[in-house]
């Protein structure tokens, strides 16, 4: 790995450090409140409380990918980085962020479940798609890495479209996606498709999702290589 790639990846990691701290402080605070609330409703009427660590992580990483277009690419171009190195470095950054987030989330879930079991809280549960397959820590990590990378690749591609072609181009893209989605709902194939996925959910689906994410990311290079520091309105 050349020095320019290392410098770019280091810049991305340093830049995201503050938002990561804020994100985890907020998420952990909500988690603690949820655990306390779960203990309360369990003691009162035998109810239960559920919480999702991965939902907020997916949203956070998607936002990071979208804003990375206007935050990272113009700066890297000004610093003289080649489009190829920018493309490779952002891809590595996405994979690293996906892996770190997935590992931390899975370990945190295991730690919280261990602690609340020790103190006698049994009305609190984590929500995760791994429940449909095999809810083990390595399955969760694999699923999360592939899902996060897909989400980041899609949002990065969308961010490039907005940056390169302005609100007009981005609006047309979102409009086409919206029309296709509404058409799918009206004809029923989206509902059938989702039902089919849920009923036959396995790791193959997430591997395919990851492959689509890689395709989106490689496709984004054709927009990235024509980008300048001038943002379209």
């Amino acid at each position: 790995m050349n020095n320019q790639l290392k410098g770019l990846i280091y810049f991305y990691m340093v830049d995201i450090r503050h938002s990561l701290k804020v994100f985890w402080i907020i998420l952990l605070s909500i988690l603690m409140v949820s655990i306390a609330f779960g203990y309360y409703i369990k003691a009162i009427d035998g109810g239960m409380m559920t919480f999702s660590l991965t939902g907020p992580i997916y949203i956070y990483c998607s936002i990071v990918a979208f804003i990375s277009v206007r935050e990272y690419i113009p700066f890297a171009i000004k610093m003289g980085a080649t489009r190829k190195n920018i493309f490779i470095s952002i891809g590595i950054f996405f994979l690293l962020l996906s892996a770190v987030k997935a590992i931390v989330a899975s370990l945190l879930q295991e730690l919280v479940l261990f602690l609340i079991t020790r103190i006698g809280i049994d009305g609190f549960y984590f929500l995760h798609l791994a429940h449909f397959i095999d809810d083990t820590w390595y399955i969760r990590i694999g699923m999360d890495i592939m899902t996060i990378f897909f989400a980041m690749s899609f949002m990065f591609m969308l961010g490039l479209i907005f940056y390169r072609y302005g609100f007009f181009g981005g609006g047309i893209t979102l409009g086409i996606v919206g029309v296709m989605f509404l058409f799918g709902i009206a004809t029923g194939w989206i509902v059938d498709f989702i039902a089919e996925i849920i009923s036959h959910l396995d790791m193959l689906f997430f591997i395919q999702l990851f492959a689509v994410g890689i395709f989106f990311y490689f496709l984004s290079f054709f927009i990235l290589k024509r980008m300048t520091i001038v943002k379209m309105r």
Side-chain angles (χ1 to χ4, degrees), residues 1-9 82 84-85 88-89:
M1 185 180 296
N2 60 46
N3 291 331
Q4 189 176 90
L5 275 176
K6 293 178 182 178
L8 288 171
I9 295 172
T82 65
K84 179 181 177 181
N85 281 343
I88 295 174
S89 63

Side-chain angles (χ1 to χ4, degrees), residues 133-194:
I133 304 176
D134 183 15
D135 192 13
T136 55
W137 65 270
Y138 52 89
I139 291 294
R140 289 196 302 269
I141 290 174
M143 291 172 62
D144 287 340
I145 289 175
M146 290 183 278
T147 304
I148 293 171
F149 184 79
F150 166 79
M152 295 189 76
S153 298
F154 177 79
M155 293 302 292
F156 181 70
M157 183 74 174
L158 187 61
L160 285 173
I161 292 173
F162 269 95
Y163 190 96
R164 181 68 177 83
Y165 302 106
F167 283 103
F168 180 74
I172 290 177
T173 302
L174 289 178
I176 293 173
V177 173
V179 169
M180 292 176 61
F181 182 76
L182 291 175
F183 177 78
I185 293 177
T187 56
W189 70 265
I190 284 186
V191 176
D192 294 338
F193 178 70
I194 294 175

